[in-house]
Amino acid sequence: METRGRGPGGTATRWLAAVLARPEARGLAEDSPPAVAVHVRILRTSPFLRRLYLAHYRRFAREFRGAPPGPVLELGSGAGFLREVMPDVVTTDVVAAPGVARVMAAERLEVADGSLAGILMLNVFHHLPDPAAFLREADRALMPGGRLVMIEPAHTPLGFVLYRAFSPEPYDPRADWGFPAGGRLTSANVPQAWIVFVRDRDRFEREFPGWRVRSLRRHTAFLFVLAGGFRYCGVAPGWSFGLFAGLEWLLAPAMPLLAGQMTVTLEKAL
């Protein structure tokens, strides 16, 4: 089942990927600093994708209700606009970019021990080459009752097929935690959050007894596909987002089979 980032496979899939590829993303080196500016433009000019990001950001806000007061970091902010929904969040990334308040790495958070009320991450955890090192660092930085909320790819039957077909990122659900360090975006293992928090849940709880999994929710099937992301053009107009979101709400019981993403909320013990 291991797949190592060979990109879209099969004649029909390759043809569809070529047709849907965003012109501004063709030939773009995703790890390069100019890529962030391109992603910003895509997000600003793609109504359906922007509404998907807004839905994710509102999910962050819901998951953070009841957390202790204090500073909140977003890691891997990149082209995003979380501050439009959560204005007090401190945005960070490993590269400088418009809208990024501080440059820092997830494994070396430049904050005092126990000083953060929360850490938020959108599609970042599966790019971390040493997830255990990050979890130890997050444990150090968060205050008791603080929360770590991440939205990540979901390992489901449909999710596997779609990621395998259209994403060049490595996808290996049998891998151990982590992978060799490389580029900011191209170094990855897509199902890493599923590996750590679902497949290896017992190991996670043994190695990190100070954390508890507050919730794990699978979601975003058709919305994820229709939005297109930063590589492909979306195939649905922005006004239709609410219709498809309603359909996904009706299909919630089937998300263990259909979901393309999941939200994991961890809470540090009091």
Side-chain angles (χ1 to χ4, degrees):
M1 202 171 188
E2 178 180 0
T3 60
R4 284 292 175 186
R6 294 190 297 270
T11 302
T13 302
R14 287 195 296 271
W15 174 84
L16 184 59
V19 168
L20 294 178
R22 292 187 182 273
E24 61 270 53
R26 290 193 177 100
L28 181 67
E30 293 193 336
D31 293 327
S32 65
V36 177
V38 173
H39 292 169
V40 168
R41 290 198 298 273
I42 290 172
L43 199 50
R44 286 177 178 172
T45 58
S46 304
F48 199 99
L49 180 62
R50 182 177 174 84
R51 291 194 65 179
L52 178 59
Y53 265 65
L54 276 172
H56 287 334
Y57 292 156
R58 289 167 180 158
R59 189 179 296 272
F60 276 154
R62 290 195 301 272
E63 292 294 324
F64 202 67
R65 289 173 187 162
V72 179
L73 290 187
E74 182 193 20
L75 303 182
S77 301
F81 53 96
L82 177 58
R83 284 174 58 85
E84 292 185 16
V85 177
M86 302 177 70
D88 296 329
V89 165
V90 178
T91 55
T92 77
D93 208 312
V94 295
V95 296
V100 172
R102 299 182 62 183
V103 175
M104 68 174 72
E107 299 89 345
R108 296 182 300 279
L109 301 176
E110 298 173 10
V111 298
D113 294 358
S115 62
L116 297 179
I119 298 173
L120 306 176
M121 308 164 68
L122 175 56
N123 290 325
V124 173
F125 188 80
H126 72 281
H127 290 288
L128 300 180
D130 191 343
F134 162 69
L135 290 169
R136 289 191 294 269
E137 180 68 347
D139 181 63
R140 177 196 67 79
L142 283 170
M143 62 183 66
R147 294 181 190 170
L148 168 57
V149 186
M150 62 184 79
I151 296 176
E152 281 291 310
H155 178 58
T156 63
L158 180 60
F160 171 77
V161 170
L162 293 175
Y163 281 114
R164 177 65 186 97
F166 292 103
S167 174
E169 295 176 358
Y171 194 118
D172 186 359
R174 297 185 296 181
D176 198 358
W177 298 17
F179 44 81
R184 168 179 169 269
L185 293 178
T186 54
S187 180
N189 185 20
V190 171
Q192 180 154 267
W194 173 84
I195 289 170
V196 174
F197 303 112
V198 179
R199 191 198 73 184
D200 294 349
R201 177 73 168 266
D202 290 344
R203 173 183 168 184
F204 167 73
E205 292 176 348
R206 285 195 311 271
E207 295 188 12
F208 297 93
W211 289 105
R212 77 178 183 97
V213 179
R214 180 180 174 88
S215 63
L216 193 155
R217 298 182 176 89
R218 296 171 179 85
H219 53 83
T220 313
F222 307 115
L223 296 175
F224 170 74
V225 175
L226 295 170
F230 293 112
R231 295 186 181 96
Y232 303 106
C233 296
V235 294
W239 60 262
S240 69
F241 184 89
L243 297 177
F244 287 106
L247 175 61
E248 290 204 351
W249 181 81
L250 293 174
L251 292 173
M255 283 300 157
L257 300 175
L258 302 178
Q261 294 182 289
M262 66 180 185
T263 299
V264 181
T265 301
L266 307 180
E267 187 172 72
K268 185 174 175 178
L270 295 172

